[in-house]
Amino acid sequence: MLEKISTGVEGLDRLTGGGFLLGSAYIIQGPPGAGKTLLANQFCFAHVRSGGRALYMSLLAESSARMLNYISQMAFFDTQAVPESMQYISAYGVLEREGLPGLLKLVQHELRRFGATAMVLDGTFVAQSVASEQEFRAFIHALQGVAGVANAVLVMLTHQNRDSSSPEHTMVDGWIEMRDEMFGYRSYQSIQVRKHRGAGIIRGKHRIRITEHGVAVFPRIESCISHAPSDEALADRVSVGLSELDRLLEGGLPYQSATLLLGPTGSGKTTLGMHFLSTASVEAPGLMLGFYETPARLLMKARSLNIDLDRLVEQGALTLMWLPPADILPDEIAMAVVRQAKASGAKRIFIDGLIPLRDNLVDSERMPYFVNALSLNLREIGATVVYTSETKEISIDDAVMPSDELSSMVDNVLLVSTGHRGPASKRSLSVIKLRDGGFYPLMQEFHIGDKGLMFGSENVVPHNARPG
Amino acid sequence: MLRILLVEDDPDVAMVVSALLEDAHYHVTVAANGKEGLDMALQERPELIISDFMMPILSGLEMIAKLHEAGYTNPILLCSAIPETQLPTERPSYGAFLRKPYSGAELLDAVTRLRKKANMS
């Protein structure tokens, strides 16, 4: 059985199927500023925390004191670890004077001298620049042998963008690429495990975030689904908090289902979501993720509609999460929602606004699979989830389901359409799709008044209506 | 001209510091690690040594211990990116400590103080 040690980054451990293999050599490649040095240091400090010893050897002309000064500001830095269990040394002089044979000897000597089981060789491209292709290939091969004999993990950092057929990539046990790309005016940092011996790796690009805690890796949520959730009690129904709509849905939304609520701006989607959350309890808590209204504004809005969310928040039966809609990492948010839902045992979850998630995915083709994976994760913990998504104005008179790629990925679809009766505007709700249902297939008019959302075709929207 | 041996594995630091010391009219030789530093110190017997702590082959403290064994008693300025309080408690004595990264003025001041302490002209 091959033994693995943590990379020091939870998300990267997932991508690599558990971490780095002991006795192996890895390359981490990426342009300057991509986070290689940070990641390598995180790995070293995590290794030291678990009782190992780590050595950071630099081939760069850059001062290691400067790097250490910068790294010491990071949350993972452990003042007590240096120099007892973690040391920084420069091998640039040895490389300059003695070339690759001297460097190889030094690596062997230092691993043995310090008793290190994790070692970083920063600036491998410098080693490459002083030797021929053949000599460099022999050096990498020998380094692998050194890592094997020492039963250590050797991580080489390089900023060179060499292709996958280059000798070092074919020879090493693992190859991780970090990127920093521009999409319009936005910068997207990502990581990809290009090669990793052993099973269980998750391929493709995954987004990262660099903070004072170091590099955080967020695996694409759809790449982490490995099994179908159980189908227990799926026949049960969950009230949406509105008896008329529950009747329309033949008892409510199917238990552990995912519902997409479509409609134009101001059509009452958030209000309906607040009704859905209003039936949360300490035993079956609720969770809301919003991007537009802050929790304070949302609670104020609920108060004005006589929907009592304050009490639920006070009781701990409702958690309100809010994020500004720009520059977010959807996979990070998905992970946070799932984590929060697990922690609070949330059974009804309202995610108000899929558009910010879609816009920040970079590759918007991911969206249906992203929503599907998030729903499966939430279903696994017994939650029923409602998403809202903006559509263009849909007239009551010709209400047809807008072409929406998400519809096939959710269990239920509700559509809000709008229109006018004389000078007054009116809204209507249609059940487009319902899992395992039987539903009343008519469009139901509703209005939003001081008791929230109310059904009835005779109702006319009052002037002081507060749309969702 | 006072002879200083600079023991430093970081080539950038070695280059900048030796230029700084030469400008201040010291004669400087450079060793790239503790082993080289030990050999050069015993051979050249410099009046003062400035040594890094974390270095390959022999660390600064290991080098100092071996120098003491060999009877070398001239002052030594130990430098490191980690604070002095984190150095191993069991360590050989040295003249003074300077935390990295340091400014040119801080280094020259530390050298001057060390010279005074050792009654060097």
Side-chain angles (χ1 to χ4, degrees):
Chain A
M1 176 78 180
L2 295 167
E3 195 185 338
K4 285 183 174 176
I5 59 171
S6 172
T7 62
V9 179
E10 188 190 337
L12 187 55
D13 281 351
R14 271 195 98 167
L15 299 187
T16 52
F20 294 136
L21 285 162
L22 271 175
S24 302
Y26 292 84
I27 286 179
I28 299 180
Q29 175 186 313
K36 303 182 297 295
T37 304
L38 211 49
L39 183 62
N41 272 283
Q42 258 172 288
F43 161 59
C44 288
F45 279 97
H47 186 59
V48 165
R49 268 199 308 278
S50 65
R53 291 167 78 80
L55 200 54
Y56 197 103
M57 185 182 276
S58 174
L59 299 177
L60 304 170
E62 178 193 19
S63 157
S64 53
R66 278 171 69 105
M67 186 194 57
L68 191 53
N69 215 25
Y70 157 64
I71 292 292
S72 66
Q73 309 301 310
M74 308 303 292
F76 61 78
F77 185 82
D78 178 5
T79 324
Q80 302 307 316
V82 188
E84 183 60 36
S85 317
M86 164 92 188
Q87 287 202 0
Y88 293 83
I89 53 174
S90 171
Y92 182 84
V94 171
L95 180 66
E96 211 175 33
R97 286 193 314 275
E98 301 170 35
L100 293 185
L103 178 60
L104 185 65
K105 230 161 88 180
L106 184 69
V107 169
Q108 262 176 306
H109 179 272
E110 292 303 302
L111 273 172
R112 207 172 36 240
R113 180 175 80 105
F114 194 57
T117 39
M119 183 172 187
V120 173
L121 201 56
D122 192 357
T124 314
F125 61 91
V126 182
Q128 198 178 350
S129 68
V130 301
S132 68
E133 196 77 15
Q134 199 177 3
E135 287 167 334
F136 187 63
R137 183 197 291 258
F139 172 70
I140 296 288
H141 184 66
L143 271 185
Q144 267 194 303
V146 168
V149 168
N151 201 29
V153 172
L154 181 63
V155 176
M156 292 172 269
L157 309 185
T158 182
H159 67 225
Q160 265 188 340
N161 192 13
R162 306 244 297 173
D163 66 43
S164 54
S165 61
S166 59
E168 66 270 30
H169 293 142
T170 55
M171 294 165 81
V172 290
D173 301 289
W175 168 24
I176 293 167
E177 188 167 7
M178 299 177 85
R179 293 191 189 89
D180 192 355
E181 296 162 287
M182 295 300 292
F183 288 84
Y185 56 87
R186 289 184 285 188
S187 163
Y188 289 90
Q189 292 183 293
S190 65
I191 196 165
Q192 181 179 3
V193 178
R194 300 286 297 260
K195 173 183 175 181
H196 192 276
R197 295 201 206 280
I201 75 162
I202 299 175
R203 295 196 172 274
K205 279 191 207 177
H206 307 268
R207 299 278 294 276
I208 65 170
R209 188 187 287 286
I210 297 178
T211 67
E212 71 276 16
H213 295 283
V215 177
V217 174
F218 304 102
R220 279 177 295 108
I221 188 169
E222 65 271 29
S223 65
C224 302
I225 301 290
S226 55
H227 63 280
S230 76
D231 279 348
E232 280 172 44
L234 290 187
D236 292 352
R237 296 278 166 162
V238 174
S239 170
V240 291
L242 291 160
S243 53
E244 299 90 337
L245 185 54
D246 282 346
R247 265 199 300 278
L248 200 69
L249 296 166
E250 296 196 335
L253 292 170
Y255 178 63
Q256 292 186 356
S257 66
T259 300
L260 177 62
L261 176 56
L262 292 164
T265 305
S267 59
K269 299 186 297 298
T270 303
T271 306
L272 202 152
M274 290 194 296
H275 281 290
F276 172 63
L277 292 173
S278 70
T279 55
S281 63
V282 175
E283 294 72 34
L287 170 66
M288 174 176 173
L289 169 67
F291 298 99
Y292 306 111
E293 281 138 317
T294 59
R297 281 185 69 104
L298 188 93
L299 289 173
M300 199 165 72
K301 179 174 176 169
R303 252 173 259 135
S304 73
L305 296 170
N306 281 308
I307 303 172
D308 189 8
L309 297 186
D310 290 290
R311 181 182 48 87
L312 296 176
V313 171
E314 276 163 30
Q315 289 174 342
L318 176 61
T319 307
L320 301 176
M321 294 171 74
W322 175 83
L323 289 162
D327 286 333
I328 53 174
L329 298 187
D331 296 297
E332 178 184 20
I333 292 169
M335 194 187 277
V337 167
V338 172
R339 193 169 284 165
Q340 177 60 45
K342 274 185 185 164
S344 65
K347 293 290 175 261
R348 46 182 66 225
I349 297 172
F350 177 46
I351 297 179
D352 195 15
L354 288 178
I355 303 287
L357 292 168
R358 186 200 65 195
D359 288 350
N360 283 280
L361 274 177
V362 182
D363 181 4
S364 58
E365 285 174 15
R366 281 186 60 201
M367 191 59 183
Y369 309 103
F370 174 87
V371 170
N372 179 252
L374 178 57
S375 305
L376 286 174
N377 269 281
L378 296 174
R379 182 170 146 188
E380 202 158 79
I381 53 178
T384 303
V385 57
V386 174
Y387 304 97
T388 67
S389 187
E390 297 267 321
T391 59
K392 60 179 176 49
E393 200 80 20
I394 297 165
S395 166
I396 285 175
D397 301 324
D398 56 5
V400 287
M401 174 65 193
S403 161
D404 193 296
E405 63 197 357
L406 290 177
S407 307
S408 59
M409 291 295 183
V410 291
D411 302 296
N412 323 304
V413 179
L414 307 181
L415 175 67
V416 179
S417 41
T418 54
H420 290 277
R421 179 185 293 158
S425 64
K426 57 181 183 176
R427 301 174 172 96
S428 194
L429 185 80
S430 317
V431 181
I432 304 291
K433 172 181 170 185
L434 187 66
R435 188 183 77 194
D436 314 325
F439 55 91
Y440 191 48
L442 290 178
M443 194 181 279
Q444 297 292 305
E445 280 191 26
F446 67 90
H447 77 275
I448 299 171
D450 57 6
K451 287 202 174 98
L453 201 145
M454 297 183 74
F455 284 86
S457 56
E458 73 287 4
N459 291 316
V460 177
V461 179
H463 292 302
N464 64 349
R466 292 174 177 86
Chain B
M1 196 181 273
L2 195 87
R3 291 173 303 132
I4 294 180
L5 172 63
L6 174 65
V7 191
E8 172 62 66
D9 65 335
D10 204 320
D12 256 12
V13 175
M15 190 175 68
V16 171
V17 170
S18 56
L20 178 86
L21 293 168
E22 278 164 5
D23 275 357
H25 307 294
Y26 293 107
H27 179 268
V28 185
T29 47
V30 178
N33 59 58
K35 174 74 172 64
E36 266 185 36
L38 177 68
D39 294 344
M40 287 170 75
L42 294 180
Q43 198 180 346
E44 297 172 12
R45 295 277 161 178
E47 281 87 14
L48 195 144
I49 294 176
I50 300 173
S51 177
D52 187 23
F53 164 52
M54 282 190 280
M55 288 185 296
I57 305 171
L58 265 192
S59 76
L61 286 177
E62 287 167 337
M63 178 193 76
I64 293 169
K66 287 192 183 295
L67 282 172
H68 287 177
E69 281 170 24
Y72 180 89
T73 53
N74 286 345
I76 298 172
L77 174 64
L78 184 70
C79 307
S80 180
I82 59 166
E84 192 177 18
T85 50
Q86 277 174 242
L87 295 178
T89 43
E90 300 257 324
R91 59 181 189 256
S93 60
Y94 44 84
F97 178 84
L98 185 62
R99 177 92 187 264
K100 279 177 155 184
Y102 45 70
S103 68
E106 285 170 329
L107 177 72
L108 293 177
D109 185 48
V111 169
T112 305
R113 278 189 280 116
L114 196 54
R115 284 176 59 190
K116 276 187 188 156
K117 194 174 155 189
N119 293 318
M120 283 180 186
S121 52

